[in-house]
Amino acid sequence: MKKLLNTLYVTTPDSYLSKDGTNVVISSEGKEIFRIPITNIEAINTFGYQGASPGVMRLCATNGVALSFFSPRGKFISRIQGPVNGNVLLRVRQFSIDEHEKSRIASRFIYGKLFNSRVVLRRFVRDHNNYPDIQKVEHAAEVLRRLAVTSTQISDPDSLRGIEGEGAASYFSVFNSLILNTDPCFTFRTRNRLPPTDPVNAMLSLGYTLLANECAAALEGVGLDPAVGFMHSLRPGRNSLALDLMEELRAYIVDRLVISLINTRQVDKNDFKIHTDSNDTHQASVIFTDKGLKKFLTAWQAKKKSEIIHPFINEKIKIGLLPHIQAMLLARNLRGDLDDYPVFLAK
């Protein structure tokens, strides 16, 4: 079983990463502010533009530590990785599966997304049965149940994408009802991401970006190509399989975290600010303040360390290992060791 190590988040905008022996060193304005042995971490996510030395890039690549760069507003820029590893025969198998099998696997991802989105809604119904909009939430949960069943009965890719889109629309149509914090700052009207125009979407977008990046690393770790997916279309620069794998985990990991942070008032309006792109004065978005970003990343790391019993392998694992477990199960299915892909289904 893979061990969950720490992820190092570098949020100071003018930070620079370098290498000293087997240590990662973080400097600001020419002064060292932090260092950590490379063996103590599994990933580095840096939010700034100062960059990293070739030495630390090699140190990360040699030790299998993912080094990812994000803009200060949380937009993914790039990821440094070492030589491609894994069983070449597994990748050949991944590349050669026919359209029928692609649709079969895609239907599992979609079923997992719809099922776990419904779990989020049903959990709210159970805990807040007297809430004024509870019937709307119950109706959306029923729509998701129906669509999940339907997704297992069809094999046409376009129809599957249509079901996924209908489910997402129904789910997000009641997402605002799940937010009990009455601060107008956290009113959710619709899902938007390019750019996010409110604090809720800003948190969802960052969470999805972090999760997609971890799914890509997990797939590479088992020897699969994260760019060659079965549901998301192939596109240069897109990790389509990572996006596929992420679908079943979105609601369970990201959405629940965002709802919890808002409803428990761990974040407030002072953790966000309006940002206008200097290249487009009309492209205004809502982004985290430095303080808000640190709050979110701290909560994200704590979420990853919480433990659950995995429903398929029946072992206690940390939530942060879910992408790695699911990537491993997908690889076993493609190799023929498992008859089907056991999508993660939350309780």
Side-chain angles (χ1 to χ4, degrees), residues 28-43:
S28 178
E29 298 181 350
K31 297 180 180 180
E32 179 180 327
I33 58 175
F34 183 77
R35 68 167 53 212
I36 187 170
I38 193 69
T39 53
N40 289 358
I41 53 179
E42 66 175 359

Side-chain angles (χ1 to χ4, degrees), residues 73 194-197 274-285:
R73 54 192 290 196
L194 295 172
T197 58
I274 302 294
H275 173 84
T276 301
D277 193 324
S278 58
N279 297 319
D280 183 356
T281 57
H282 300 289
Q283 194 77 351
S285 62

Side-chain angles (χ1 to χ4, degrees), residues 140-191:
E142 175 57 24
V143 170
L144 290 172
R145 185 201 65 78
R146 174 176 56 80
L147 291 173
V149 172
T150 303
S151 72
T152 66
Q153 301 170 346
I154 61 176
S155 58
D156 177 65
D158 290 336
S159 297
L160 284 170
R161 293 187 187 98
I163 288 174
E164 186 273 336
E166 185 179 349
S170 182
Y171 173 71
F172 281 118
S173 73
V174 297
F175 198 78
N176 190 61
S177 297
L178 311 184
I179 298 174
L180 303 179
N181 187 333
T182 57
D183 189 330
C185 167
F186 295 114
T187 299
F188 179 88
R189 294 179 177 84
T190 186
R191 173 72 183 123

Side-chain angles (χ1 to χ4, degrees), residues 35-93:
R35 68 167 53 212
I36 187 170
I38 193 69
T39 53
N40 289 358
I41 53 179
E42 66 175 359
I44 302 174
N45 292 340
T46 178
F47 296 77
Y49 291 128
Q50 293 301 310
S53 71
V56 80
M57 292 181 188
R58 180 177 181 179
L59 181 67
C60 289
T62 302
N63 288 273
V65 173
L67 173 57
S68 302
F69 297 90
F70 299 81
S71 73
R73 54 192 290 196
K75 181 179 179 181
F76 176 72
I77 298 173
S78 65
R79 181 159 53 90
I80 304 297
Q81 67 179 57
V84 174
N85 53 34
N87 188 340
V88 66
L89 297 180
L90 175 60
R91 292 191 181 227
V92 170
R93 168 64 178 151

